[in-house]
Amino acid sequence: MSPDLPPDHRDPGLPPVAPSVTAALVGALSPRLRKRLDAGITKLAARPVVREGDIVRIAVDDDTDLELHAPGGTVTSADAIRCGCLLAPDCLHRAAAASAAPVAEDTPVADTAVPAEVREEAEVETASPDQRAAARAVFDAASAVLEAGTDGAGAVLQAELLRAAHTARLAGLPRASAAAVSVVTGVRAARSADPAYRLADLAGAVRDVLGVAHRLPRATGPDLVGLRGTARQPYRPDGSLRLYGLFSEPVLTATGYAGAVTWTADADGRLHTVSDVAPGGPSRATGAADRAVRIGDTALTHRELSRAGLAVSGATVSPTGRLGAGAGVRAVRASGASWRGEPLDRLWAVPVAEQVTRALDGGHDLLFLDVTLTGAVRETTGDCLLADCAGVPLRLVTAHDDPALPFRDNLRLLSAARGSRLRVIARLVPGPLPRALLLAAEHPTDPTARVDLGLDRLQRADLPASTGPLPGAVAPAVDEAPLHLLRRRVHQAVSGGRRVLAFPGGGSGDGARLRRLGLGTAGDLLDELHAAAADRSRDAFGRLLPADMDRFARAWLAAAVYTDAVERGLCAGAWGASSEAIPALT
């Protein structure tokens, strides 16, 4: 087993650009230039890029350069994008560069959430007029993206959604803002054929942004506070901590961020993370594991901490378990612990069904499993490792498809170790069949060692001597719940827009079929979705009027929320989890 070494060069990609900058530059274009924006982005993407410190330079042509000034790694103002062409600053190039770059986190604003003690004394808190207007703007902009689908949601529609996201943040709605940015990121990944793009993930992002924007204007009390979100995660003092390393995983996002996150546990089994994530590409994701962790004066790298321990004094911890690195935090190296020894062994002692219930109820989604490898199959999305987990037939899949990360190669090698009993750490994938992303595992031949599958690279010599040739079977057909008839239309709308559901006869009879199979609500939702997509009124002269985007977005949102809730219920049932994990349909 050998660690992945980072390449000798650094990816010189474009720096992240704040949403407000992209919205401002696109909004300033003339109608004629807006029509040419998508073509301009494609042309600019083919030009050479050079990074010199905080400046990224693009050669627009042999005589003209475009510069992005990113102090701290992020472009935060329109003036920081400068072009040398004759039409600057009103040229197409500046808006194209901003639209082609990853979306950065917008400038933080003060958190407007009312403190708990004030909320208790107040009567019923409601959203302010500015917040209701901002939520409406987000809903309308996201509806326009849904109506067009990824194929039609070009840079102009993306900029409108980024503008709405910035407005929401200024109005004190960071959750709606972040959800809108996630949709833009997903649309860009789809349009650029990013291998990490997943239609289901984008559908979930669209569902989240529409759901938050739809509910927020009428929300009150604690519901309103949750829908607003918080601009920053508050770090709270947590005294002294004795932490034991669990594993490290690489981070490589479609938004242009990369790095590593190391997971640790304390003596009570609480999970804590240490992260090093910043703008960058695959080389940073593979190299961050060998950087020193940013806590106190310790020289431990992420790779070392995943096997060792840490003693922290003056610790600060966010609600999600992330450790702060303030000036008052002190940390020194300590001894680690085996996965099969105390205190880490207690993580695997929790029944699997209870772990799944926790994940579906909003807790962390890591699963600590004892599995027996039974082989592998080849699915349409790649190789899948089959395992038995306490009688549950489980499918373990790669956590990231980027070829710079060894996830896929490691899973392929493990598939040859049939019969091996291993402890693994995986991330739950909600769905009607037991499935999880494989993150770390015990070494196939050395139970005292473990492998971070996104950072360490297994060799053929690491496998048991009795293994045969690598399998290449095709996954057998699996009986799917009829809910897929609704889910398929929900996903089709995200990809192709309203028009793909408006074709005469499209999906004809699926609603009736769902009702015959006992899913009456699903059938009604599907019929309404098709009716909303096909609803086009005409004026007095017989000309088609614009489609009712609001009706279509609400019909799609109802179908998406229902599908997600039922699928989570099916997931709980597949793992034998408690019915309490099934979310309510709200």
Side-chain angles (χ1 to χ4, degrees), residues 511-523:
R513 180 183 173 191
L514 285 168
R515 283 187 285 271
R516 287 197 305 271
L517 294 170
L519 294 175
T521 301

Side-chain angles (χ1 to χ4, degrees), residues 507-548:
S508 177
D510 284 347
R513 180 183 173 191
L514 285 168
R515 283 187 285 271
R516 287 197 305 271
L517 294 170
L519 294 175
T521 301
D524 294 343
L525 290 171
L526 181 56
D527 287 347
E528 169 59 16
L529 182 59
H530 280 292
D535 183 14
R536 296 293 300 274
S537 302
R538 295 180 181 271
D539 62 15
F541 299 98
R543 295 172 299 193
L544 280 175
L545 295 173
D548 186 348

Side-chain angles (χ1 to χ4, degrees), residues 130-185:
D130 286 346
Q131 290 177 337
R132 290 195 293 271
R136 182 72 240 186
V138 169
F139 188 91
D140 290 344
S143 298
V145 169
L146 176 64
E147 202 270 346
T150 56
D151 296 338
V156 174
L157 286 181
Q158 295 170 28
E160 289 302 320
L161 186 51
L162 290 178
R163 183 189 305 279
H166 182 61
T167 301
R169 180 168 286 273
L170 293 178
L173 303 177
R175 180 177 172 184
S177 176
V181 169
S182 295
V183 171
V184 174
T185 298

Side-chain angles (χ1 to χ4, degrees), residues 14-16 102-103 185 252-258 277-281 284:
L14 299 181
V103 183
T185 298
L252 184 58
T253 74
T255 59
Y257 287 83
V277 179
R284 192 179 198 285

Side-chain angles (χ1 to χ4, degrees), residues 2 6 75 172 184 187 219 241 260 497:
S2 62
V75 176
V184 174
V187 169
L241 293 173

Side-chain angles (χ1 to χ4, degrees), residues 454-529:
L455 299 171
D456 304 321
R457 191 174 291 277
L458 285 168
Q459 306 295 332
R460 183 71 176 178
D462 294 316
L463 301 180
S466 60
T467 57
L470 296 179
V474 177
V478 178
D479 290 336
E480 234 187 327
L483 188 68
H484 76 277
L485 297 173
L486 179 60
R487 180 179 63 244
R488 181 173 59 197
R489 300 304 181 191
V490 167
H491 288 180
Q492 282 180 339
V494 173
S495 180
R498 179 193 56 78
R499 63 187 181 277
V500 301
L501 300 185
F503 296 136
S508 177
D510 284 347
R513 180 183 173 191
L514 285 168
R515 283 187 285 271
R516 287 197 305 271
L517 294 170
L519 294 175
T521 301
D524 294 343
L525 290 171
L526 181 56
D527 287 347
E528 169 59 16
L529 182 59

